[in-house]
Amino acid sequence: MTGAMYAAIAGLRTHMSKMNVIGNNIANVNTNGYKSQRAIFKDAMYTMYSSGSNGTSTSGGKNPAQIGYGSQLSTIDINMTTGTYTLGNNTECMLYGDGFFLVGDKDAPINPNDPNSIKTLKMTRVGDFGFKADGYLCDGSGNPVYGFLTTGVDKDGKPIVSDQLVPIRLPKLTTEKDAQGKDQDKIAYPVVKDNAGNDIPLKDATKDDGSELPFAQIDGIKIDPKTGAITGSSKDTDEIITLGYLAIGNVTNPNGVTHEEGFYYTAGDGAGDLNVSLIGSTAKDLGIEYINGSLFNQAGGNTQSEKMKIGSAGGTKLMAGALEGSNVDLASEISEMITTQRGYQANTRIITVTDSMLEELVNIKR
């Protein structure tokens, strides 16, 4: 008889867990980039009251008889569908479909020979980006945004894009002599390769005395929704320049990402591989195929070192000048809250009825 009471207690626990999930969803109904969660129940363990049989030549079979012990929480799923949008400024953006923006520390340990090193970066759906006083493009929490920087322009004026995944930042400004010997301002793009073409850490050109160059004054900065290119107008040289391209992270299982504090996610166990892509164009369109160069043979071996391949974002679209809102359906959450409340009440009723039956039992008189 007390089995019913224990089953009801298990039901109370699972319904309370579901109510916690619902409460969190409703609390974040207006949180930018929030992805709603859903609690899934499963029935608990069973005891075998009587086993089943297949029957004999003289008698038919019978079904097993089992008694269950309530319910328990199976999974708490994340609904990664795109939420509504709210208007933002020119450097803010949102994603339609799968995909995440990549943010992290300025010196995140991205190892070109280890594709898993990219998992040290955090992923977010909230593109509240802006250039800060230190020249870096950061989100609202001050985390630098990762992408591919422009390192110069070719003879046709087309941007030369680095193949290294680095924080996006403003170029510096240098002064050179023109043909008449007059000082002329010139954009000093970041250097990411040495003269031999070898990959080096991101750095800048410096003045003759070794001091730092000032940041170029860029206004009218905006993000192209078709390519993810970040462009602006230089106040010093009166030219339109491309600062770089936003990187998009795609995981094998978007619903398997791990939710961190705030609106950040990590590609932990269950998410699968984390790949880098570009909006609206492949790396080949920009003249790059792999992060930090092409494949090469390892010394003393015939195998090739593994590289992080850059591809297209596929069906993921970018919307500039907007921020993604919450995808919580308030009507559905209220309905779930009502059914969860009734389920909780029913389980409390089982405890009350079981207690009454036990009371009758102990009060039996001869």
Side-chain angles (χ1 to χ4, degrees), residues 37 78 80 100 121-124 251 253-272:
Q37 296 178 298
I78 301 178
M80 295 301 296
F100 301 87
L121 298 178
K122 293 182 286 188
M123 305 182 298
T124 180
V251 294
N253 177 22
N255 293 328
V257 296
T258 302
H259 202 164
E260 302 292 334
E261 183 181 1
F263 38 70
Y264 298 113
Y265 301 88
T266 56
D269 294 339

Side-chain angles (χ1 to χ4, degrees), residues 56-73:
T56 65
S57 59
T58 58
S59 62
K62 63 177 182 178
N63 298 328
Q66 297 173 287
I67 298 178
Y69 284 92
S71 62
Q72 58 184 331
L73 197 62

Side-chain angles (χ1 to χ4, degrees), residues 32 40 135 141 174 236 291 297 342 352:
N32 286 103
I40 303 296
S141 299
T174 187
D236 306 288
I291 297 178
N297 289 328
R342 295 307 181 196
T352 302

